[in-house]
Amino acid sequence: MKLFAVLGDPIAHSLSPLMHNFVYRQNAIEAIYARARVADGKRLREVFETLGLSGANITVPHKESAFELCDEVRGIAARLGAVNTWVKEGDRIAGYNTDAEGFAASIAPLNGVKSALVLGAGGAARSIALALIESGADTAVVNRSAARLEFFKPLGARVFDWQNLPRERFDLVVNSTSAGLKEDDLPLEKEALKAYLTGAKTAYDAIYGRQTPFLRLALECGAAVKDGEDMLAFQGAIAHTLFFGGGDRAKIAETMKTALRLPASWRQSPPREG
Ligand SMILES: NC(=O)c1ccc[n+]([C@@H]2O[C@H](COP(=O)([O-])OP(=O)(O)OC[C@H]3O[C@@H](n4cnc5c(N)ncnc54)[C@H](OP(=O)(O)O)[C@@H]3O)[C@@H](O)[C@H]2O)c1
């Protein structure tokens, strides 16, 4: 029986155990996916090894520590400086980042975004902006504070703080801030945001599971809207294929989305057959 887990702090809210365990159950895979709160990022590897994990997802605030503490960083994670998936290979740990690819897979149905405005400059914004740049989109990043914008310049993004906003229109406007996650905040001053949303084809919110003020405003402005559920499911599905050395990503993502819609009773204690 293989054991996997999501590691972070806080961790109680994480939907990864629900998504992964549902895929195991639906596909008769002998594995368990747990969650563990790790307060100190320096202890990630010790926790991983003590629990005897075959793989893990690492979430806020430890993605940079996960990058530092694995033996080999693979793929886009090297450019992001952040790792969210560890896979045990013998005595070594390989590190990947499935957020950027998860976002890219989630916007594939939009059929080629030519220009994009990314709101926010945290971990999610890094993955999203890099996925957009790699897909060839002209990408601008806007953040409340200037310091975190530096990361995006060498990637090829144009960067702006709130005192110096871009004046053009964008096909896609992405909220990758945490504004709207709990409170009813917008990620940008309302009139400026309205102007971008009125000119956009699609508004995308990385937040999932609730209609955010950002998406409500986008609907008022006539944009098509999309939340972060597909991104969440695809990053999980990609992690699954890394854990098990293959699999149909799209099919696994669909199963994970089904899990997200299960009744609340499932989230605490999945009912067992027999
Ligand atoms: N769907 C998915 O799979 C997925 C994956 C990852 C993350 N997410 C979501 O993405 C969001 C960001 O996550 P993260 O890990 O990037 O967080 P993070 O690293 O803490 O970054 C937060 C960002 O939000 C900005 N921000 C926070 N409050 C704001 C406000 N009231 N107005 C404007 N900007 C504000 C911050 O600006 P400053 O720099 O100025 O503080 C920063 O740029 C979260 O809501 C998370 O749930 C979704």
Side-chain angles (χ1 to χ4, degrees), residues 60 63 99 120-125 143-145 148 162 176-179 181 185-187 206-208 228-229 231-232 235:
V60 177
K63 292 182 188 179
D99 286 333
N143 198 44
R144 182 172 61 179
S145 51
R148 294 170 99 175
W162 284 9
S176 59
T177 76
S178 36
L181 187 59
D185 295 342
L186 286 167
I207 296 169
Y208 49 84
E229 185 186 82
M231 178 177 171
L232 177 72
Q235 65 76 28

Side-chain angles (χ1 to χ4, degrees), residues 13 59-60 63-64 84 99 102-103 119-128 142-149 152 162 175-183 185-189 204-208 227-236:
H13 69 288
T59 188
V60 177
K63 292 182 188 179
E64 282 83 12
N84 79 335
D99 286 333
F103 173 77
L119 303 170
R126 286 182 177 203
S127 296
I128 288 169
V142 164
N143 198 44
R144 182 172 61 179
S145 51
R148 294 170 99 175
L149 289 169
F152 296 86
W162 284 9
N175 176 28
S176 59
T177 76
S178 36
L181 187 59
K182 292 190 188 110
E183 297 83 20
D185 295 342
L186 286 167
L188 188 62
E189 188 273 318
Y204 186 115
D205 203 324
I207 296 169
Y208 49 84
D227 77 1
E229 185 186 82
D230 281 1
M231 178 177 171
L232 177 72
F234 273 111
Q235 65 76 28

Side-chain angles (χ1 to χ4, degrees), residues 17-264:
L18 174 75
M19 296 195 308
H20 285 269
N21 283 319
F22 191 66
V23 170
Y24 302 161
R25 180 182 145 125
Q26 295 302 95
N27 295 282
I29 295 170
E30 294 231 337
I32 292 174
Y33 191 109
R35 61 165 72 87
R37 188 172 78 84
V38 180
D40 180 358
K42 293 191 201 78
R43 293 194 55 230
L44 273 179
R45 189 163 179 141
E46 180 194 329
V47 172
F48 183 90
E49 283 166 356
T50 304
L51 292 175
L53 300 179
S54 297
N57 291 116
I58 296 93
T59 188
V60 177
H62 298 323
K63 292 182 188 179
E64 282 83 12
S65 299
F67 174 87
E68 296 295 336
L69 293 173
C70 64
D71 295 303
E72 187 184 338
V73 175
R74 295 199 184 139
I76 206 163
R79 291 183 73 194
L80 285 167
V83 155
N84 79 335
T85 302
W86 276 0
V87 181
K88 192 166 184 329
E89 294 180 356
D91 289 340
R92 293 170 60 77
I93 297 176
Y96 300 84
N97 191 306
T98 67
D99 286 333
E101 232 180 310
F103 173 77
S106 77
I107 61 160
L110 302 182
N111 271 335
V113 172
K114 291 199 174 56
S115 62
L117 175 64
V118 176
L119 303 170
R126 286 182 177 203
S127 296
I128 288 169
L130 188 52
L132 285 163
I133 291 163
E134 292 218 326
S135 78
D138 176 23
T139 303
V141 179
V142 164
N143 198 44
R144 182 172 61 179
S145 51
R148 294 170 99 175
L149 289 169
E150 286 305 311
F151 173 85
F152 296 86
K153 290 183 186 169
L155 299 184
R158 293 179 292 126
V159 299
F160 304 86
D161 62 26
W162 284 9
Q163 278 67 53
N164 164 38
L165 293 172
R167 293 181 176 272
E168 72 264 37
R169 294 178 165 207
F170 299 90
D171 289 347
L172 176 70
V173 180
V174 184
N175 176 28
S176 59
T177 76
S178 36
L181 187 59
K182 292 190 188 110
E183 297 83 20
D184 269 353
D185 295 342
L186 286 167
L188 188 62
E189 188 273 318
K190 188 171 182 181
E191 288 311 310
L193 187 56
K194 257 173 128 171
Y196 292 128
L197 292 171
T198 304
K201 289 183 193 145
T202 308
Y204 186 115
D205 203 324
I207 296 169
Y208 49 84
R210 71 185 302 238
Q211 198 188 47
T212 58
F214 170 78
L215 290 185
R216 280 201 295 276
L217 186 63
L219 284 170
E220 281 171 36
C221 294
V225 296
K226 188 166 176 61
D227 77 1
E229 185 186 82
D230 281 1
M231 178 177 171
L232 177 72
F234 273 111
Q235 65 76 28
I238 295 164
H240 177 96
T241 62
L242 293 169
F243 292 155
F244 292 95
D248 181 337
R249 287 176 178 188
K251 209 171 146 199
I252 297 160
E254 277 311 310
T255 307
M256 288 187 167
K257 281 199 278 177
T258 305
L260 294 172
R261 296 190 188 112
L262 288 167

